[in-house]
Structures are given as C-alpha cells and as structure tokens.
Amino acid sequence: MLNIKNINVSVEDKEILKNFNLNINKGEIHVIMGPNGVGKSTLSRVLMGDNHYKVTSGEIIFLDEDLQKLSVDERARKGIFVAYQHPSEIEGVNNVDFLKAALRAKSNKPINLYTFANEMETLSKNLQLKENMLYRSINSGFSGGEKKKNEILQMRLLKPKLVILDEIDSGLDVDSLKIVAQNTLEYLKETKDTSVIIITHYPRILEYIKPDFVHIVKEGHIVKTGDYSLALAVEKNGFENY
C-alpha cells in the first residue's frame, strides 16, 4: 500500500523528519506515537501534499506510484484521506454539497442522489450527528467532537484506501471516542484492504482499534516498533526510555 524510503522533510529550512522509513501493507493498522514536535503530524501533511513541507530526499510510493509527482487532488482521488486534529471551518459550503461534489470528482461521473441521501442519513445516525448539521457550513459552530465525527462521515462516504487519523482522539469525551472508533472499525470491516495510520499521543483509541504495529518517533525517525503492548508500556512509563 505505502512504502516510505529514507525521506528527509524540512519546514522553513528546519529539518523535521530524518531518514524516515515506513512500510504499510494492505489492511494493516499502524500507530505513530511520540512526544510533541517529533514529526508525527508532519508525516500526515507530507503524505497529503502540503506544499509547506519539503521532501528534500527519499521517496514515497503509494500503490506502486511515486506520490511526490501527484497533486493534492490526485492523491485524494487515488484514495488517501486525512482526518485532521483541527478540521477547518468553511463558511458558505454545507456538508451535503461538499460531499456530493467530492464524490463526483472522485468517480468522475454523476452520483445516485437517492443512494447518496440514504447512506448519508444512515451514517449520520450512526455517528449521532444531528440532521441539521448536514446542511450547515462545514464545521462552522461545531464542537470539537462534532468536527471529528464529521471527518469520519466524510471518510465513510468517500471510501479511501489509506486513512490517516491525525490525533482524531484529541478533545473527545469517552462517548464520542467510542462512536468514532466504532464507525472506523465498521468501515474497515466493509473494505478489508483499507490501511490505517493512527497518529496519537495516548493509547485510548487503541482500546477500540487494535493496531498491527506501533511505532515510536523521536528526533524525526522511528526509534522503536512493536505491537499493542508497546503503546501500553508508553502509557505506563512515558517516552523517555526510547
């Protein structure tokens, strides 16, 4: 699915990722953990194509294609999706119109409005999003939990192949965290080959979404890889030992 080979990434001449390597196969769930400022969110922005982040060396191969040659919209069409820690508010564009436009752009053909409406209604209920939110400007006036649920709604409708959850658990109460995790798991069961990168400080969400691999990042590269037990060890002892 994804092969990152020795990438070095800089922002305003400051090197963030240093000889970073990561290989993800289809259907795998990988967790990126580490203290603040080590490059976790930088990875998500590099994969999505944020032009503030410069890949100075190395390569990123996604489904056998050089990701660095693709624009942001081409990456999205190929199936990369990022749920951000702080989703943007977009005044004047409501959720329904946005998602219809996104689905049309992805498939390059008209969508079945009846099927779309039924799926959106069902998923919104599963996420406990009020119906009027679908017709409001994207994330405008939404609480932190509502914004995160809205990200998951977009994920389930757009059906990506690589899902990047960038601190999706940040600011969520226990009930909202469970709803977000359950909907993510339902999507993974439906698609099977979808791969996931979960970027987080804490293992709370991993109580629901069990990972195949946990990676600890410090000083811009992975310093330790393990399974779910590694996340539990971090919660108990912190990052200092790695």
Side-chain angles (χ1 to χ4, degrees), residues 218-233:
K218 292 186 82 173
E219 298 180 0
H221 60 275
I222 294 172
V223 296
K224 179 76 173 177
T225 294
D227 56 18
Y228 177 55
S229 63
L230 179 58
L232 298 179

Side-chain angles (χ1 to χ4, degrees), residues 46-47 49 55 58-62 64-75 78:
V46 166
L47 292 176
V55 180
E59 63 178 7
I60 306 171
I61 306 299
F62 175 64
D64 299 322
E65 190 162 0
D66 185 350
L67 198 63
Q68 295 181 72
K69 293 181 179 179
L70 302 180
S71 61
V72 175
D73 62 297
E74 288 171 332
R75 298 180 195 210
K78 281 202 164 290

